[in-house]
Amino acid sequence: MLILDYHKKLKIWMYNISMSVLGKKFWIPVLILVSIVGVAGITCGALIFINDQNKSEPEEVATPVPEPEPEPDPVATDAKMRILLAGTTFWGRRTNQLARASKVGVKYPFQKLNTLKPETYDAWIGGLECPITDNGHNYGLENSIFKFNCDPDYLPEAKKYFTAFMLGNNHTDNQDGGKGLTTTRKYLDKNGIQYFGTPKYSGKVTSELERDTKEATNCGIVVLPVNVTYDNKEVKKIQMPFGFCSAHGVFGIPGDDYIENMKTYASYVPTIAMPHMGAEYQPSHDELRQNIYRRMIDYAKVDSVIADHPHWVQDVEAYKGKLIAYSMGNFMFDQYDGVEYSRSAAIEANAIVAVKDTDFDKWNELGEACLENKNTCFDEIKKAKLPKLSVTWKYDYHATTSANDCITRLASSNERTAVGQRLRWSAVPASMKVKK
């Protein structure tokens, strides 16, 4: 506004001068000139004002924000697993008769397994002592020559508890030998239950004694979930492959090929032997079994030996820091000639896996691959050339009974005490036991 007023006054002053000095005919050009000068002055003044304003408020320059550093990968701090190893398991013969006559049908022998708190375990593994076929039952043969069969419609109930079954015993060949075994494996595959072992004799045998296909071996991979805790408090279930081996020795002594196969598996993965042999209806083991089972530890380097077949609970041994259970007894069976036949010692095995230098992602990949294709599984493990898992095992036992009704459940505290005395559990070092 000051600039415009000045310009107006200048015009009047110049007009008065021009009129008095030059006369009226000269005032118009002078006025035009003054206007031009005035406009130029106003423009310059405006530009100077704007420039001063810009200088007084300098432009803000954005400060670059540094990219956040990537978070480090979580580090495993703990890895563990809890499994239950069960003795002789079977739902044929009298068990099947009682189940078919009951209101619950095929649920009958499993209906009280919840007393063992299955939800607290990562896996159950049992010794299945019958083939699974559609051949039905001949109760005369089942009772006289012990030719067993188990119906497949029990498997959905069994799947609720059992992760895997051991097939290397003297009854899984009862339905046409290898033919019945092939059917058994198909039914187990269909129901998502893993398996291992064979009743085939080792060494050179005549064809009529051949009890399984030539491709069957006494060892196999069983994939078990290991709970891995990381430093960010995250817990993952990692599918990890473990070795499990049978050793059928009811009618003889397992050959060297059985032991060699155990050694091969134990050199790549933690391996548990579950042999089926021993003198029946005896309260303690014999020297022959002791020598064989110790050799599985000394030579084959298995992690433990957990056996069945005698149908009675027998003692355990802590041998060189590894557990040998000579007989777990009848977990789910129909014998009842007294308390010895209806009770068992289910062995709880807790695995503590060393986390240092363990690539859990790669082991999980191998475990998932084994679940997809068990035939190529062990070859893939060998090709991976990963360091063998380092596992510390700690144990407990749980007394079970099926009484006279063939319904397996947790035994009473008095029965647990009696089973512990038979096991001689007090002789197992504290370092090998689960802390109470």
Side-chain angles (χ1 to χ4, degrees):
M1 291 295 295
L2 293 174
I3 295 173
L4 292 176
D5 288 343
Y6 171 76
H7 180 242
K8 186 177 179 180
K9 290 179 180 179
L10 180 64
K11 283 170 62 180
I12 295 171
W13 181 72
M14 290 297 296
Y15 173 77
N16 292 332
I17 293 175
S18 62
M19 288 295 293
S20 60
V21 178
L22 300 175
K24 289 184 179 180
K25 64 178 177 178
F26 293 104
W27 77 267
I28 293 175
V30 172
L31 187 60
I32 293 173
L33 178 62
V34 169
S35 297
I36 292 172
V37 172
V39 170
I42 292 170
T43 303
C44 289
L47 290 174
I48 290 170
F49 177 77
I50 292 171
N51 186 53
D52 288 343
Q53 287 294 103
N54 288 340
K55 284 182 180 179
S56 62
E57 296 181 11
E59 232 182 83
E60 289 187 8
V61 179
T63 304
V65 179
E67 292 186 7
E69 294 185 7
E71 293 185 8
D73 292 333
V75 177
T77 58
D78 181 70
K80 57 190 176 183
M81 172 186 69
R82 185 179 187 227
I83 61 176
L84 190 73
L85 304 169
T88 302
T89 301
F90 163 82
W91 52 81
R93 204 165 56 179
R94 190 167 71 94
T95 301
N96 182 62
Q97 289 179 318
L98 291 170
R100 299 302 180 183
S102 74
K103 293 181 180 179
V104 296
V106 296
K107 295 181 180 180
Y108 182 83
F110 309 99
Q111 61 184 299
K112 293 185 179 179
L113 288 182
N114 64 316
T115 59
L116 289 165
K117 298 181 180 179
E119 69 280 1
T120 65
Y121 292 89
D122 297 296
W124 282 18
I125 299 170
L128 183 65
E129 196 158 25
C130 59
I132 301 172
T133 76
D134 297 305
N135 295 345
H137 298 271
N138 183 325
Y139 291 107
L141 293 178
E142 286 186 308
N143 288 312
S144 60
I145 64 172
F146 312 119
K147 188 174 182 180
F148 294 160
N149 185 51
C150 284
D151 293 335
D153 55 347
Y154 286 83
L155 286 173
E157 284 300 311
K159 167 64 177 174
K160 294 177 182 178
Y161 306 96
F162 290 95
T163 305
F165 283 126
M166 186 275 293
L167 304 181
N169 58 65
N170 59 311
H171 285 292
T172 46
D173 68 332
N174 285 178
Q175 298 295 317
D176 301 320
K179 184 178 179 181
L181 276 159
T182 299
T183 303
T184 299
R185 292 184 176 112
K186 285 182 179 178
Y187 271 119
L188 292 174
D189 283 334
K190 182 180 178 181
N191 286 274
I193 300 175
Q194 300 177 69
Y195 52 83
F196 63 96
T198 172
K200 185 176 98 171
Y201 281 91
S202 60
K204 294 180 180 180
V205 296
T206 57
S207 59
E208 58 265 29
L209 290 178
E210 196 70 34
R211 294 182 173 238
D212 203 352
T213 59
K214 291 182 179 179
E215 292 75 21
T217 66
N218 64 305
C219 293
I221 292 294
V222 175
V223 180
L224 302 174
V226 173
N227 305 292
V228 181
T229 303
Y230 294 86
D231 56 2
N232 61 358
K233 307 304 181 184
E234 182 182 9
V235 179
K236 289 183 181 179
K237 279 193 179 294
I238 304 295
Q239 300 296 334
M240 302 190 78
F242 289 78
F244 281 83
C245 298
S246 70
H248 175 216
V250 173
F251 305 116
I253 299 173
D256 288 341
D257 55 338
Y258 271 60
I259 308 299
E260 288 294 338
N261 206 28
M262 289 182 186
K263 183 179 181 180
T264 300
Y265 271 74
S267 64
Y268 288 94
V269 289
T271 299
I272 293 176
M274 295 185 71
H276 190 87
M277 62 181 79
E280 292 183 318
Y281 318 125
Q282 299 298 315
S284 60
H285 72 277
D286 55 39
E287 186 178 0
L288 176 61
R289 250 55 62 172
Q290 184 180 75
N291 292 337
I292 294 172
Y293 295 172
R294 286 183 175 185
R295 185 168 180 245
M296 292 176 182
I297 290 173
D298 287 333
Y299 179 75
K301 308 298 183 185
V302 301
D303 289 37
S304 58
V305 180
I306 314 294
D308 66 1
H309 174 65
H311 298 287
W312 284 16
V313 175
Q314 292 183 348
D315 51 324
V316 301
E317 178 185 12
Y319 179 67
K320 296 184 178 179
K322 297 185 177 183
L323 187 70
I324 299 176
Y326 285 95
S327 176
M328 291 181 283
N330 289 331
F331 181 75
M332 183 177 287
F333 211 66
D334 67 341
Q335 285 180 316
Y336 190 72
D337 295 320
V339 68
E340 292 281 9
Y341 298 85
S342 61
R343 70 184 186 183
S344 81
I347 302 298
E348 177 188 323
N350 291 263
I352 303 166
V353 182
V355 298
K356 185 179 180 181
D357 300 325
T358 299
D359 192 330
F360 287 103
D361 289 337
K362 288 185 178 178
W363 278 113
N364 185 63
E365 288 176 10
L366 289 170
E368 295 284 0
C370 288
L371 290 173
E372 288 293 324
N373 190 342
K374 63 174 63 68
N375 295 324
T376 61
C377 171
F378 191 49
D379 288 335
E380 293 301 315
I381 291 172
K382 289 189 283 188
K383 287 178 185 176
K385 296 182 179 179
L386 294 174
K388 180 184 171 180
L389 294 170
S390 176
V391 176
T392 300
W393 294 94
K394 293 185 181 294
Y395 302 94
D396 199 356
Y397 77 94
H398 301 280
T400 73
T401 181
S402 56
N404 193 32
D405 55 10
C406 302
I407 301 175
T408 304
R409 62 238 189 213
L410 189 68
S412 68
S413 59
N414 288 339
E415 289 171 310
R416 174 180 167 83
T417 299
V419 168
Q421 290 171 347
R422 173 59 59 80
L423 290 171
R424 299 178 187 172
W425 196 256
S426 61
V428 177
S431 60
M432 293 175 61
K433 294 179 181 178
V434 175
K435 289 184 179 179
K436 298 295 187 182

